[in-house]
Amino acid sequence: MENPGEPVDPARKTWMSLLATAPGARLLQLWQAYGGQPDFNWLRPPEIGGVMVRGRMGGTGAPFNLGEMTVTRCSVVLNDGTVGHGYVQGRDKPRAQAAAVIDALMQTSAAPAVRRAILEPLTTARQASRQDRAAKAAATKVEFFTMVRGED
Amino acid sequence: MYVATKGGERAIENAHAWLAEERRGDPDVAELGLEQIQQQLSLAVTRVMAEGSLYDPDLAALAIKQARGDLIEAIFLIRAYRTTLPRFGLTNPVETADMACDRRISATFKDAPGGQVLGPTFDYTHRLLDFKLAADGDVPDAPRADPRMEPTPHITTFLQREDIIQPEPGSDETPGDLTREPMAFPADRDIRLQSLARGDEGFLLGMAYSTQRGYARTHAFVGELRIGKVPVEMEIPELGFAIEIGEIDLTECETINQFNGSKTQPPQFTRGYGLVFGQSERKAIAVALVDRALRWRELGEDNLGAPAQDEEFVLSHCDNIQATGFLEHIKLPHYVDFQAELELVRKLRRETMGDPQEAAE
């Protein structure tokens, strides 16, 4: 643990979360198109592992272990000393590498360019896909109507 | 006693080569791609993830292909792979109240906030074979309506306000993990729910059905059934805060069960809970029913001696990998064991059939 008790950085939390769940092919495509890939050294080369996903009894109660999911993680350091961490869902080392380097770049002066080239398109795509699923769900919402039967 | 024997290597090798050929089938038929399995047999994929107890659609699709569609064999492959993974940590408990619901229905409240959302369901289909699918065809776009983006509240929260349903007190206690510690009885509810979540769908369906037919009658209403995506958050030690490390599909079922009043407690509804990876509502409902039946002790109910109330019976037999491992091992060579049995039965026969010479010995 390098910096326990570090306050939550909401912006960093948002972009790391976005990178963790981004579709692999799309992330790598945007990353390659970005073109400004810096040199870096590994602090921790990509490794594949599992995390235990927990649920809550009754949705709100005490936690229990539901089952595991696969995760790939790695850490990089740029030549200027900036450290980046990549945590992505599934088994995908190139994607974890891209996520870690992007995390590092987002802490440098390259942040606005990276945000424009990678994070914004990913955010838009994620929102669009969620919206579309929600729209399909909404179309299956039951509209009840009451039929009056018999005489009273 | 076990006596090692050797032999059969060539037969085994050739059998596996033939297995590979059979798996591929007729080479004139296009080979099945993993994306096809993931996209078009997605409910098989989620079953393998749930019972394999590892959420990874790519691996589940590979396992299904390798197992030639034998889902228990595929689950076996996933369980074996799972044991090779280093564990990075525990996630925060998923908040199913934040689920982006594809489907959300309640059998208890017609006008629940958020509505009755059917989602991509088999319900209300006529269960007639659709021969159009045999010929490939274009699928028309599903209709869209105004999306509802805000979270959908749990039905039980409405009952909770009236105190008419038993509460689910929250805690941050670290739950037991049956993948790390062997199960011991009586098992707490955290272990039971973990075991049921990875249990065999068919076995749990049968157990749950038995409670409906009168073995441990715990008449259940489906208070709510929801299917959709939830974010998974985990504390990252290097950062000191939690990030979303993924997003998974879950099916959650909450049952509302018969009153449970006692001398000290006013009548109150009780609950059963089922949470399962992927889209699997049959399994989630079954888990909720079995969970409720197994709670007889903590709710002060009578043990009616019903199979679904017997946690040792349910939890020790719901794991299809343990079950199939033990069941199928009896087909492997037991030549020496059998030889001993054969000798014994021959001897007993000689004795009872009165071979005087043998009997005298």
Side-chain angles (χ1 to χ4, degrees), chain A residues 3 44 50 54 68 70 132, chain B residues 55-56 82 88 91 94 238:
Chain A
N3 43 7
R44 175 163 64 197
R54 295 189 290 177
E68 284 164 283
T70 51
D132 191 48
Chain B
Y55 197 100
D56 187 316
R82 193 200 66 80
F88 291 168
T91 73
V94 289
E238 306 87 295

Side-chain angles (χ1 to χ4, degrees), chain A:
Chain A
M1 221 183 266
E2 289 165 25
N3 43 7
E6 185 95 339
V8 181
D9 177 344
R12 191 170 185 198
K13 178 174 166 146
T14 306
W15 79 61
M16 288 190 76
S17 301
L18 181 68
L19 294 168
T21 53
R26 183 76 184 127
L27 173 64
L28 292 176
Q29 192 185 22
L30 290 168
W31 177 228
Q32 267 138 32
Y34 169 70
Q37 283 91 350
D39 290 336
F40 66 88
N41 286 305
W42 291 115
L43 285 179
R44 175 163 64 197
E47 59 174 331
I48 293 167
V51 301
M52 178 55 90
V53 179
R54 295 189 290 177
R56 286 194 184 281
M57 302 172 191
T60 54
F64 67 95
N65 291 312
L66 177 63
E68 284 164 283
M69 63 178 262
T70 51
V71 168
T72 310
R73 70 175 177 191
C74 64
S75 299
V76 299
V77 58
L78 305 185
N79 289 340
D80 67 1
T82 314
V83 173
H85 302 293
Y87 271 81
V88 298
Q89 180 173 10
R91 295 158 308 111
D92 195 338
K93 292 180 178 180
R95 192 153 67 89
Q97 177 187 325
V101 180
I102 293 168
D103 176 48
L105 283 178
M106 281 301 293
Q107 303 166 65
T108 68
S109 58
V114 173
R115 184 183 297 282
R116 231 178 358 261
I118 299 165
L119 300 185
E120 279 170 11
L122 287 178
T123 309
T124 312
R126 176 154 135 154
Q127 274 163 356
S129 132
R130 282 182 181 178
Q131 200 121 12
D132 191 48
R133 255 194 122 73
K136 283 190 273 192
T140 67
K141 185 175 163 186
V142 179
E143 303 297 344
F144 288 101
F145 54 90
T146 312
M147 281 186 293
V148 180
R149 299 198 305 176
E151 296 159 50
D152 197 11

